[in-house]
Amino acid sequence: MGKPPAACIQSRHLSVQACPVGGSTMTFMVLLCLGLCLSQMTHVQAGMFNKPSLSALPSPIVTSGGSVALQCGSWQEFDWFVLCSKEGEGHPRHLDSQHQADGWFQALFTVDHVSPSHRQTYRCYGYFSSSPFVWSTSSHVLELLISGVSRKPSLSVLPGPVVAPGQSLTLQCHSDVGYDRFALTKEGAGDPPQRLGWQSQAELSGADFPLGPVRPSHGGRYTCYGGHTLSSEWSAPSEPLDILVAVQLPQGPPPTLSAQPGLPVAAGENVTLRCQSASFFDAFLLSKEGEAGPPLHRRSQHQGGEFQADFPLRSVTLDRGGTYRCYGSLSSTPFLLSHPSDPLELVVTGVPAAVTSSLQTPDSTSSPRPDHTLENLIRVGLSALVLVVLVVLVFQAWRSQTGSQGETKRCFLHGSSPSISTWNQHSPI
């Protein structure tokens, strides 16, 4: 491979390097360069140069001061790839391409010490050693999002985390912090993050990200970020949210769902929902219709020639009643589920949930009543001690008062009062 050109003059879909000239050969060299460039321009306009793709590994979300690898690649057999900053900062970086076993050609550019002080936007090109002055069309622009430490937003989904292909799906990112822009990313996706501006939602700032109609590729783990327009730094990531797509897996028919020991269930009793299948599944998931939270997850067990998982519900209350479905899952495709089982209507009979809650035995859903016996004994003992002290003080006060009155009486009877004795001695007879 020849040495890559150091600089270029861009011309819409290609880049042309000014050719070195000198002496009496100037005219010849100019005409030669012009002919080569026009020849390559014809190929570009004919669509022979496919634009490469640009992605960030492992993610376009980078912490401030961190590093990231930018992958420029193509199925076209480019000899070189070029990475440029959209803002024109620094010189273009050239790397020779690496041929992968699957026929993919790529180059990995490392970007170190990313900073929120300016926007980090990049694009890349490919070219051949035989025509180093003609580049392909540009890849899409990739912007790195610099993640900071400001308060993370919340991420939720409507109608729920388990969806079927063709349904509509909306991911909602919202926060009580006054962010005016939001970004949504999918773990492992090479696509740039989706970004939306601020939308007011009942004293919250937020944005809705519609995904649909749903395809199997929508399954995955999502996070969102909040940011301010005047800053290139984004918030800390939200808690991850898993989107599960129910499709037809090659295992065969969907699993079945049953209640043990049976239905209906009286309030306060225990019931187990069993999901089972004759086909192999690594795990089973149980969801309740109308609940937005993640489904319950259990590893499958092989028993009696079938694969199954039990979901125990202890001391059930009326609010546990509803429609349940279960799904099978494979560890190789954790975000793709089998078709759902037939719905199971869990009927709970008995007194209202507010009353049964006081009758439940302690379990994972009801906290045991605390024992205050020791505290009560301590309080009674302290009260008795205070009462004894008060009695002693009253008794001592009474004795002191009684002794003082007796002394005064004796003084009067025996004339021992100084004032009276002195008066008697000096008074005339």
PDB file of all heavy atoms in Angstrom, residues 390-412:
ATOM      1  N   LEU A 390     -40.831   9.660  93.657  1.00  0.00           N
ATOM      2  CA  LEU A 390     -41.779  10.701  94.048  1.00  0.00           C
ATOM      3  C   LEU A 390     -42.335  10.452  95.453  1.00  0.00           C
ATOM      4  O   LEU A 390     -42.493  11.379  96.258  1.00  0.00           O
ATOM      5  CB  LEU A 390     -42.925  10.776  93.021  1.00  0.00           C
ATOM      6  CG  LEU A 390     -42.542  11.335  91.642  1.00  0.00           C
ATOM      7  CD1 LEU A 390     -43.739  11.263  90.697  1.00  0.00           C
ATOM      8  CD2 LEU A 390     -42.078  12.790  91.767  1.00  0.00           C
ATOM      9  N   VAL A 391     -42.645   9.180  95.771  1.00  0.00           N
ATOM     10  CA  VAL A 391     -43.164   8.845  97.104  1.00  0.00           C
ATOM     11  C   VAL A 391     -42.135   9.174  98.177  1.00  0.00           C
ATOM     12  O   VAL A 391     -42.448   9.749  99.235  1.00  0.00           O
ATOM     13  CB  VAL A 391     -43.581   7.371  97.159  1.00  0.00           C
ATOM     14  CG1 VAL A 391     -43.888   6.956  98.599  1.00  0.00           C
ATOM     15  CG2 VAL A 391     -44.800   7.132  96.275  1.00  0.00           C
ATOM     16  N   VAL A 392     -40.866   8.821  97.924  1.00  0.00           N
ATOM     17  CA  VAL A 392     -39.804   9.109  98.895  1.00  0.00           C
ATOM     18  C   VAL A 392     -39.659  10.595  99.115  1.00  0.00           C
ATOM     19  O   VAL A 392     -39.526  11.091 100.247  1.00  0.00           O
ATOM     20  CB  VAL A 392     -38.480   8.485  98.427  1.00  0.00           C
ATOM     21  CG1 VAL A 392     -37.317   8.959  99.302  1.00  0.00           C
ATOM     22  CG2 VAL A 392     -38.566   6.961  98.447  1.00  0.00           C
ATOM     23  N   LEU A 393     -39.681  11.386  98.049  1.00  0.00           N
ATOM     24  CA  LEU A 393     -39.552  12.842  98.168  1.00  0.00           C
ATOM     25  C   LEU A 393     -40.708  13.438  98.960  1.00  0.00           C
ATOM     26  O   LEU A 393     -40.520  14.318  99.822  1.00  0.00           O
ATOM     27  CB  LEU A 393     -39.464  13.472  96.787  1.00  0.00           C
ATOM     28  CG  LEU A 393     -38.179  13.163  95.995  1.00  0.00           C
ATOM     29  CD1 LEU A 393     -38.272  13.766  94.606  1.00  0.00           C
ATOM     30  CD2 LEU A 393     -36.965  13.700  96.741  1.00  0.00           C
ATOM     31  N   VAL A 394     -41.925  12.971  98.712  1.00  0.00           N
ATOM     32  CA  VAL A 394     -43.098  13.480  99.445  1.00  0.00           C
ATOM     33  C   VAL A 394     -42.994  13.125 100.927  1.00  0.00           C
ATOM     34  O   VAL A 394     -43.281  13.940 101.815  1.00  0.00           O
ATOM     35  CB  VAL A 394     -44.386  12.920  98.820  1.00  0.00           C
ATOM     36  CG1 VAL A 394     -45.590  13.241  99.706  1.00  0.00           C
ATOM     37  CG2 VAL A 394     -44.592  13.507  97.430  1.00  0.00           C
ATOM     38  N   PHE A 395     -42.555  11.882 101.225  1.00  0.00           N
ATOM     39  CA  PHE A 395     -42.440  11.453 102.620  1.00  0.00           C
ATOM     40  C   PHE A 395     -41.392  12.286 103.362  1.00  0.00           C
ATOM     41  O   PHE A 395     -41.610  12.714 104.504  1.00  0.00           O
ATOM     42  CB  PHE A 395     -42.084   9.962 102.669  1.00  0.00           C
ATOM     43  CG  PHE A 395     -41.891   9.431 104.059  1.00  0.00           C
ATOM     44  CD1 PHE A 395     -42.998   9.229 104.899  1.00  0.00           C
ATOM     45  CD2 PHE A 395     -40.619   9.159 104.553  1.00  0.00           C
ATOM     46  CE1 PHE A 395     -42.819   8.751 106.187  1.00  0.00           C
ATOM     47  CE2 PHE A 395     -40.455   8.684 105.839  1.00  0.00           C
ATOM     48  CZ  PHE A 395     -41.557   8.467 106.666  1.00  0.00           C
ATOM     49  N   GLN A 396     -40.247  12.535 102.717  1.00  0.00           N
ATOM     50  CA  GLN A 396     -39.215  13.344 103.352  1.00  0.00           C
ATOM     51  C   GLN A 396     -39.696  14.773 103.585  1.00  0.00           C
ATOM     52  O   GLN A 396     -39.424  15.378 104.628  1.00  0.00           O
ATOM     53  CB  GLN A 396     -37.948  13.343 102.489  1.00  0.00           C
ATOM     54  CG  GLN A 396     -37.196  12.015 102.497  1.00  0.00           C
ATOM     55  CD  GLN A 396     -35.952  12.067 101.663  1.00  0.00           C
ATOM     56  OE1 GLN A 396     -35.767  12.999 100.886  1.00  0.00           O
ATOM     57  NE2 GLN A 396     -35.086  11.054 101.833  1.00  0.00           N
ATOM     58  N   ALA A 397     -40.427  15.331 102.673  1.00  0.00           N
ATOM     59  CA  ALA A 397     -40.965  16.683 102.841  1.00  0.00           C
ATOM     60  C   ALA A 397     -41.964  16.730 104.004  1.00  0.00           C
ATOM     61  O   ALA A 397     -41.994  17.675 104.805  1.00  0.00           O
ATOM     62  CB  ALA A 397     -41.613  17.163 101.539  1.00  0.00           C
ATOM     63  N   TRP A 398     -42.760  15.691 104.126  1.00  0.00           N
ATOM     64  CA  TRP A 398     -43.760  15.647 105.215  1.00  0.00           C
ATOM     65  C   TRP A 398     -43.070  15.550 106.567  1.00  0.00           C
ATOM     66  O   TRP A 398     -43.424  16.241 107.506  1.00  0.00           O
ATOM     67  CB  TRP A 398     -44.683  14.459 104.978  1.00  0.00           C
ATOM     68  CG  TRP A 398     -45.679  14.270 106.093  1.00  0.00           C
ATOM     69  CD1 TRP A 398     -46.825  14.952 106.312  1.00  0.00           C
ATOM     70  CD2 TRP A 398     -45.571  13.321 107.153  1.00  0.00           C
ATOM     71  NE1 TRP A 398     -47.449  14.515 107.432  1.00  0.00           N
ATOM     72  CE2 TRP A 398     -46.706  13.493 107.977  1.00  0.00           C
ATOM     73  CE3 TRP A 398     -44.628  12.345 107.479  1.00  0.00           C
ATOM     74  CZ2 TRP A 398     -46.914  12.725 109.113  1.00  0.00           C
ATOM     75  CZ3 TRP A 398     -44.847  11.580 108.592  1.00  0.00           C
ATOM     76  CH2 TRP A 398     -45.982  11.774 109.403  1.00  0.00           C
ATOM     77  N   ARG A 399     -42.034  14.708 106.673  1.00  0.00           N
ATOM     78  CA  ARG A 399     -41.316  14.569 107.939  1.00  0.00           C
ATOM     79  C   ARG A 399     -40.599  15.860 108.308  1.00  0.00           C
ATOM     80  O   ARG A 399     -40.570  16.261 109.472  1.00  0.00           O
ATOM     81  CB  ARG A 399     -40.279  13.441 107.829  1.00  0.00           C
ATOM     82  CG  ARG A 399     -40.890  12.056 107.817  1.00  0.00           C
ATOM     83  CD  ARG A 399     -39.841  11.019 108.149  1.00  0.00           C
ATOM     84  NE  ARG A 399     -39.253  11.265 109.466  1.00  0.00           N
ATOM     85  CZ  ARG A 399     -38.258  10.559 109.978  1.00  0.00           C
ATOM     86  NH1 ARG A 399     -37.703   9.587 109.260  1.00  0.00           N
ATOM     87  NH2 ARG A 399     -37.778  10.826 111.173  1.00  0.00           N
ATOM     88  N   SER A 400     -40.044  16.520 107.304  1.00  0.00           N
ATOM     89  CA  SER A 400     -39.353  17.785 107.596  1.00  0.00           C
ATOM     90  C   SER A 400     -40.324  18.826 108.125  1.00  0.00           C
ATOM     91  O   SER A 400     -40.043  19.542 109.088  1.00  0.00           O
ATOM     92  CB  SER A 400     -38.664  18.273 106.327  1.00  0.00           C
ATOM     93  OG  SER A 400     -38.073  19.537 106.539  1.00  0.00           O
ATOM     94  N   GLN A 401     -41.492  18.894 107.535  1.00  0.00           N
ATOM     95  CA  GLN A 401     -42.501  19.875 107.974  1.00  0.00           C
ATOM     96  C   GLN A 401     -43.015  19.531 109.367  1.00  0.00           C
ATOM     97  O   GLN A 401     -43.201  20.399 110.229  1.00  0.00           O
ATOM     98  CB  GLN A 401     -43.649  19.907 106.963  1.00  0.00           C
ATOM     99  CG  GLN A 401     -44.680  20.984 107.288  1.00  0.00           C
ATOM    100  CD  GLN A 401     -45.765  21.028 106.232  1.00  0.00           C
ATOM    101  OE1 GLN A 401     -45.768  20.214 105.331  1.00  0.00           O
ATOM    102  NE2 GLN A 401     -46.669  21.972 106.364  1.00  0.00           N
ATOM    103  N   THR A 402     -43.192  18.251 109.656  1.00  0.00           N
ATOM    104  CA  THR A 402     -43.683  17.828 110.976  1.00  0.00           C
ATOM    105  C   THR A 402     -42.660  18.150 112.059  1.00  0.00           C
ATOM    106  O   THR A 402     -42.991  18.654 113.134  1.00  0.00           O
ATOM    107  CB  THR A 402     -43.989  16.317 110.962  1.00  0.00           C
ATOM    108  OG1 THR A 402     -44.925  16.042 109.937  1.00  0.00           O
ATOM    109  CG2 THR A 402     -44.533  15.864 112.298  1.00  0.00           C
ATOM    110  N   GLY A 403     -41.388  17.914 111.824  1.00  0.00           N
ATOM    111  CA  GLY A 403     -40.347  18.218 112.804  1.00  0.00           C
ATOM    112  C   GLY A 403     -40.244  19.704 113.087  1.00  0.00           C
ATOM    113  O   GLY A 403     -40.040  20.134 114.216  1.00  0.00           O
ATOM    114  N   SER A 404     -40.406  20.536 112.100  1.00  0.00           N
ATOM    115  CA  SER A 404     -40.328  22.001 112.297  1.00  0.00           C
ATOM    116  C   SER A 404     -41.474  22.496 113.161  1.00  0.00           C
ATOM    117  O   SER A 404     -41.296  23.336 114.050  1.00  0.00           O
ATOM    118  CB  SER A 404     -40.344  22.679 110.929  1.00  0.00           C
ATOM    119  OG  SER A 404     -40.382  24.076 111.089  1.00  0.00           O
ATOM    120  N   GLN A 405     -42.666  21.951 112.952  1.00  0.00           N
ATOM    121  CA  GLN A 405     -43.817  22.383 113.769  1.00  0.00           C
ATOM    122  C   GLN A 405     -43.633  21.959 115.229  1.00  0.00           C
ATOM    123  O   GLN A 405     -43.963  22.701 116.171  1.00  0.00           O
ATOM    124  CB  GLN A 405     -45.101  21.774 113.183  1.00  0.00           C
ATOM    125  CG  GLN A 405     -45.476  22.392 111.839  1.00  0.00           C
ATOM    126  CD  GLN A 405     -46.705  21.722 111.263  1.00  0.00           C
ATOM    127  OE1 GLN A 405     -47.193  20.719 111.803  1.00  0.00           O
ATOM    128  NE2 GLN A 405     -47.221  22.294 110.172  1.00  0.00           N
ATOM    129  N   GLY A 406     -43.059  20.773 115.517  1.00  0.00           N
ATOM    130  CA  GLY A 406     -42.859  20.311 116.904  1.00  0.00           C
ATOM    131  C   GLY A 406     -41.851  21.172 117.646  1.00  0.00           C
ATOM    132  O   GLY A 406     -42.009  21.494 118.817  1.00  0.00           O
ATOM    133  N   GLU A 407     -40.813  21.604 116.978  1.00  0.00           N
ATOM    134  CA  GLU A 407     -39.802  22.443 117.593  1.00  0.00           C
ATOM    135  C   GLU A 407     -40.380  23.789 117.978  1.00  0.00           C
ATOM    136  O   GLU A 407     -40.125  24.324 119.056  1.00  0.00           O
ATOM    137  CB  GLU A 407     -38.639  22.612 116.607  1.00  0.00           C
ATOM    138  CG  GLU A 407     -37.470  23.412 117.178  1.00  0.00           C
ATOM    139  CD  GLU A 407     -36.771  22.693 118.300  1.00  0.00           C
ATOM    140  OE1 GLU A 407     -36.873  21.437 118.357  1.00  0.00           O
ATOM    141  OE2 GLU A 407     -36.149  23.343 119.136  1.00  0.00           O
ATOM    142  N   THR A 408     -41.178  24.367 117.131  1.00  0.00           N
ATOM    143  CA  THR A 408     -41.812  25.670 117.431  1.00  0.00           C
ATOM    144  C   THR A 408     -42.735  25.567 118.647  1.00  0.00           C
ATOM    145  O   THR A 408     -42.769  26.449 119.514  1.00  0.00           O
ATOM    146  CB  THR A 408     -42.608  26.149 116.212  1.00  0.00           C
ATOM    147  OG1 THR A 408     -41.707  26.211 115.095  1.00  0.00           O
ATOM    148  CG2 THR A 408     -43.233  27.500 116.469  1.00  0.00           C
ATOM    149  N   LYS A 409     -43.437  24.481 118.755  1.00  0.00           N
ATOM    150  CA  LYS A 409     -44.365  24.304 119.895  1.00  0.00           C
ATOM    151  C   LYS A 409     -43.603  24.201 121.215  1.00  0.00           C
ATOM    152  O   LYS A 409     -43.977  24.782 122.220  1.00  0.00           O
ATOM    153  CB  LYS A 409     -45.211  23.052 119.663  1.00  0.00           C
ATOM    154  CG  LYS A 409     -46.276  22.832 120.723  1.00  0.00           C
ATOM    155  CD  LYS A 409     -47.127  21.641 120.358  1.00  0.00           C
ATOM    156  CE  LYS A 409     -48.211  21.416 121.398  1.00  0.00           C
ATOM    157  NZ  LYS A 409     -49.055  20.242 121.069  1.00  0.00           N
ATOM    158  N   ARG A 410     -42.469  23.496 121.215  1.00  0.00           N
ATOM    159  CA  ARG A 410     -41.685  23.370 122.436  1.00  0.00           C
ATOM    160  C   ARG A 410     -41.112  24.715 122.874  1.00  0.00           C
ATOM    161  O   ARG A 410     -40.998  25.028 124.058  1.00  0.00           O
ATOM    162  CB  ARG A 410     -40.562  22.339 122.214  1.00  0.00           C
ATOM    163  CG  ARG A 410     -41.053  20.892 122.208  1.00  0.00           C
ATOM    164  CD  ARG A 410     -39.886  19.920 122.316  1.00  0.00           C
ATOM    165  NE  ARG A 410     -38.973  20.054 121.187  1.00  0.00           N
ATOM    166  CZ  ARG A 410     -39.117  19.370 120.054  1.00  0.00           C
ATOM    167  NH1 ARG A 410     -40.141  18.527 119.910  1.00  0.00           N
ATOM    168  NH2 ARG A 410     -38.270  19.533 119.077  1.00  0.00           N
ATOM    169  N   CYS A 411     -40.737  25.499 121.918  1.00  0.00           N
ATOM    170  CA  CYS A 411     -40.206  26.835 122.240  1.00  0.00           C
ATOM    171  C   CYS A 411     -41.249  27.685 122.958  1.00  0.00           C
ATOM    172  O   CYS A 411     -40.957  28.411 123.916  1.00  0.00           O
ATOM    173  CB  CYS A 411     -39.733  27.538 120.990  1.00  0.00           C
ATOM    174  SG  CYS A 411     -38.214  26.819 120.301  1.00  0.00           S
ATOM    175  N   PHE A 412     -42.435  27.662 122.551  1.00  0.00           N
ATOM    176  CA  PHE A 412     -43.511  28.426 123.187  1.00  0.00           C
ATOM    177  C   PHE A 412     -43.782  27.915 124.597  1.00  0.00           C
ATOM    178  O   PHE A 412     -44.041  28.693 125.522  1.00  0.00           O
ATOM    179  CB  PHE A 412     -44.789  28.368 122.339  1.00  0.00           C
ATOM    180  CG  PHE A 412     -44.825  29.439 121.271  1.00  0.00           C
ATOM    181  CD1 PHE A 412     -44.648  29.105 119.943  1.00  0.00           C
ATOM    182  CD2 PHE A 412     -45.022  30.773 121.603  1.00  0.00           C
ATOM    183  CE1 PHE A 412     -44.676  30.078 118.971  1.00  0.00           C
ATOM    184  CE2 PHE A 412     -45.050  31.737 120.615  1.00  0.00           C
ATOM    185  CZ  PHE A 412     -44.886  31.394 119.315  1.00  0.00           C
TER     186      PHE A 412
END
